[in-house]
Amino acid sequence: MSTFLIEPGAKLANRYRLDTVVSETGGATRWKATDETLARPVAVWTFAEGFPRTSEVVRAARATSRIPDARVTQVFDADDTTPVPYVVEEWVIGSSLAELLAQGPMEPERAAGLVAEAAEAIAAAHAGGLHHLCLTPSKLMWSSGGAVKVTGIGVDAALLGNNVPQPAAVDAQGLGNLLYAALTGYWPGGPQSGLPGAPQGPMGPYPPGQLRQGVGEPLASITTRAALPQLVGQMVPGPPISSPAEFCAAMAEVPRLIPLPVSPAEAAPPEPGTSRRTGEFDATNNQRRTSRTAAAPARGASRPAPSRMDQRASREEGSSTKRVLVGAVAVVLFVAVVVGAWSFGSMMNSGTDGEADPSVSATEDTPADAELSVLDISDSDGFDPLGDNSEHGQNAPLAHDGDPSTAWNTEGYNDPMGTEKSGVGLLLDLGSSQEVHEVDLVVPSSSYGVQIRVGDSNAVSDDASLDANLPSAWEGEVSGEQTVTLDEAATGRYVLVWFTDLPSDDGRFRGTINEVEVRGT
């Protein structure tokens, strides 16, 4: 029986000093440690006496060290013959995908680049007979040296026991989950690594294209085929993706950039007025908003042997930069000419009576569009123009609690609106009269007929007073996650999200709002 005491400060092989516990898994402990011989940080696994899979983990670690892919975490040492068996791995300094997504979802092409790199590493491991089986946002790293690293290959699977009937399918779904998270900021299997669980529909998590606009084909289809195989044939064509190799093949034709995401230490704090969760709802319709999805390149980051696609993207980015610089120089020269002409004209007119030319009026500086900010919602309620239903008013705060996994919904109706009632909706109280420009909505994927009404009276007991007191500022269809930009800015204390056409829900017609934000000045 071993008498070796495993605690901080203990030393293995007279070389590896255990510093702090990082995690524990049923008798296996992961440490941040120091290799005193090479004076570098390392990760060390130790195993309590009686841990049933020590030999399997050590064998898997040795096999992992032979994978010829730099994106696989290196294994430096492994020994199960000492009083305390151990595995020594590379300590990756950088940011995990979970940490990167704390700033919001990634730009689609960069998300594709990051996860495609991970997929190639996992496929190389599978070719060598190793699996991961535990792919989560904390296992995908962007190192400070500018490289993708996947931690836990081989070792994590051995820690759990390799008794999985279809390990290739498990890792393919894990890669799909990583891509889903990178694109949406949600984890499709429930909360994971600090990310919220994805909003659920009748068949499970909503596809990524319904949670975030701008995720084009085929990226949305690949993500769904890998992460949500139950939706294949129902919502997307093609077979499920059932192996890392198939995932790599599908991603081969997807436009992607060298990942280069911003680490949390380098990322600027979100601007006031951005979304509580993502910083944006619709990048195409919200150009005035500070977007946190497009991650800027980290300074000095690089990776060896970029692909031809990456090189082409880099050249295009460089060409764009040159064009911007040339344009900036042209603007400066133009301004200089205008200022010079104005100065010359002033000197020519200096001998006159000094009166300003009445035909020339002084032009005041026109301020740029004011930055929009999120307007506080002080109260909310379900709204029925006839007053015969509460419209689940007690659940109204769930529509603006910052958590899209919760929702407010209307009562169920026998028709989609227009027969029983002209509409129903959610009434938001801003506390005082505000200038409203935009309304961000997250609703299920079904199409809703919606009006946005803004006014200063909530005395809306019937349709006539509704029209009189809360005039319509926008009308159209809404589906998924969408930013509604009002036709013109509207001023009022109350904002009514008014459903004029409801989708069918299990034989009844019902409206649902997962999240709403009001923006204005």
Side-chain angles (χ1 to χ4, degrees), residues 425-437:
L426 179 67
L427 187 67
L428 307 174
D429 183 354
L430 304 181
S432 61
S433 189
Q434 307 278 348
E435 184 175 288
V436 177
H437 290 253

Side-chain angles (χ1 to χ4, degrees), residues 62-74:
R62 289 170 177 163
T64 302
S65 69
R66 296 190 289 270
I67 299 175
D69 194 307
R71 293 163 294 195
V72 176
T73 305
Q74 297 180 67

